[in-house]
């Protein structure tokens, strides 16, 4: 819920400061999508003057989608809501919904390539908090690599499996 509240505030800051850029929020779960949508509705009631900016772009309207329903949609700015993280007892589970399934790395790739201008990640943990094991699913390993990049703006190429294709 706190992450959803923070994202709702950032949405309104976006429309206040950059109304010309299209925006979408991508969540890792349907439950988090619903939490973000509820907070956005609260903000719309508090800031009716910004609602017009939110609906002004008819070609690329604001949207909130969960990871599995984002394919094919692009926006200038994507805000990514993890919705997973440390629990109230300080434990971090490595369960990230669709990323833990076969093909999770492809879902993550779709998510992280939807932004034309910028991508903002909202999370209550860092890449270094993730304690991976040898059998950790590829999607979760790639999430850690992406978070490392987002935190440092450096790509760690050794984290990827080598390819036989010389063009990769």
């Amino acid at each position: 819920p706190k992450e959803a509240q923070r994202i709702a505030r950032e949405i309104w800051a976006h429309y206040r400061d950059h109304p010309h850029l299209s925006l979408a929020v991508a969540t890792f779960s349907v439950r988090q999508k619903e939490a973000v949508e509820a907070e956005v509705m609260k903000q719309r009631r508090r800031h009716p003057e910004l609602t017009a900016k939110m609906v002004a772009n008819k070609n690329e309207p604001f949207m909130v989608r969960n990871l599995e329903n984002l394919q094919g949609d692009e926006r200038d700015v994507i805000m990514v809501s993890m919705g997973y993280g440390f629990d109230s007892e300080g434990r971090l589970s490595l369960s990230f919904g669709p990323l833990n399934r076969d093909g999770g790395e492809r879902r993550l790739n779709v998510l992280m390539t939807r932004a034309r201008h910028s991508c903002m990640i909202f999370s209550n943990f860092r890449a270094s908090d993730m304690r991976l094991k040898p059998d950790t699913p590829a999607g979760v390993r790639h999430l850690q690599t992406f978070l490392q990049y987002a935190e440092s703006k450096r790509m760690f190429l050794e984290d990827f499996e080598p390819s036989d294709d010389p063009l990769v």
Side-chain angles (χ1 to χ4, degrees), residues 8-26:
R9 287 192 307 270
E10 289 295 326
I11 289 167
W12 296 118
H14 168 86
Y15 283 112
R16 183 189 64 232
D17 300 338
H18 308 287
H20 59 286
L21 295 176
S22 61
L23 175 64
V25 176

Side-chain angles (χ1 to χ4, degrees), residues 90-157:
R91 291 179 299 205
L92 177 65
S93 168
L94 293 182
S95 179
F96 296 100
L99 294 188
N100 288 75
R101 295 186 222 130
D102 285 343
E105 68 278 10
R106 290 189 300 277
R107 288 181 176 93
L108 183 66
N109 181 60
V110 167
L111 172 62
M112 299 308 174
T113 59
R114 300 296 94 190
R116 290 187 292 259
H117 183 270
S118 62
C119 183
M120 301 171 69
I121 310 297
F122 294 81
S123 174
N124 76 352
F125 65 94
R126 296 182 172 278
S128 60
D129 296 322
M130 298 174 71
R131 303 288 180 236
L132 305 187
K133 297 179 177 147
D135 63 343
T136 299
V140 176
R141 286 186 284 121
H142 288 276
L143 173 62
Q144 184 186 48
T145 300
F146 179 76
L147 289 175
Q148 287 172 335
Y149 173 73
E151 293 167 22
S152 68
K153 306 298 185 276
R154 293 181 47 223
M155 181 60 72
F156 299 93
L157 295 176

Side-chain angles (χ1 to χ4, degrees), residues 3-115:
E3 188 174 302
Q5 292 167 1
R6 173 64 193 270
I7 289 170
R9 287 192 307 270
E10 289 295 326
I11 289 167
W12 296 118
H14 168 86
Y15 283 112
R16 183 189 64 232
D17 300 338
H18 308 287
H20 59 286
L21 295 176
S22 61
L23 175 64
V25 176
T27 68
F28 276 46
S29 70
V30 172
R31 188 170 168 201
Q32 188 65 6
K33 173 188 177 291
E34 292 167 352
V36 170
E37 288 173 332
E39 290 299 325
V40 168
M41 289 309 296
K42 288 179 188 176
Q43 290 290 339
R44 287 180 80 161
R45 286 191 291 275
R46 286 186 205 129
H47 303 284
E49 72 282 4
L50 294 173
T51 297
K53 292 178 182 180
M54 185 178 194
V55 298
N57 188 336
K58 302 291 186 217
N59 294 327
E60 291 186 333
F62 171 76
M63 65 180 182
V64 181
R65 297 266 172 90
N66 66 308
L67 180 61
E68 295 176 317
N69 294 316
L70 193 64
Q71 182 101 20
D73 290 311
E74 290 184 339
R75 294 296 185 268
D76 296 320
V77 177
I78 300 286
M79 294 181 183
V80 178
S81 175
M82 292 290 216
Y84 295 99
F86 287 109
D87 64 19
S88 60
E89 291 155 17
R91 291 179 299 205
L92 177 65
S93 168
L94 293 182
S95 179
F96 296 100
L99 294 188
N100 288 75
R101 295 186 222 130
D102 285 343
E105 68 278 10
R106 290 189 300 277
R107 288 181 176 93
L108 183 66
N109 181 60
V110 167
L111 172 62
M112 299 308 174
T113 59
R114 300 296 94 190

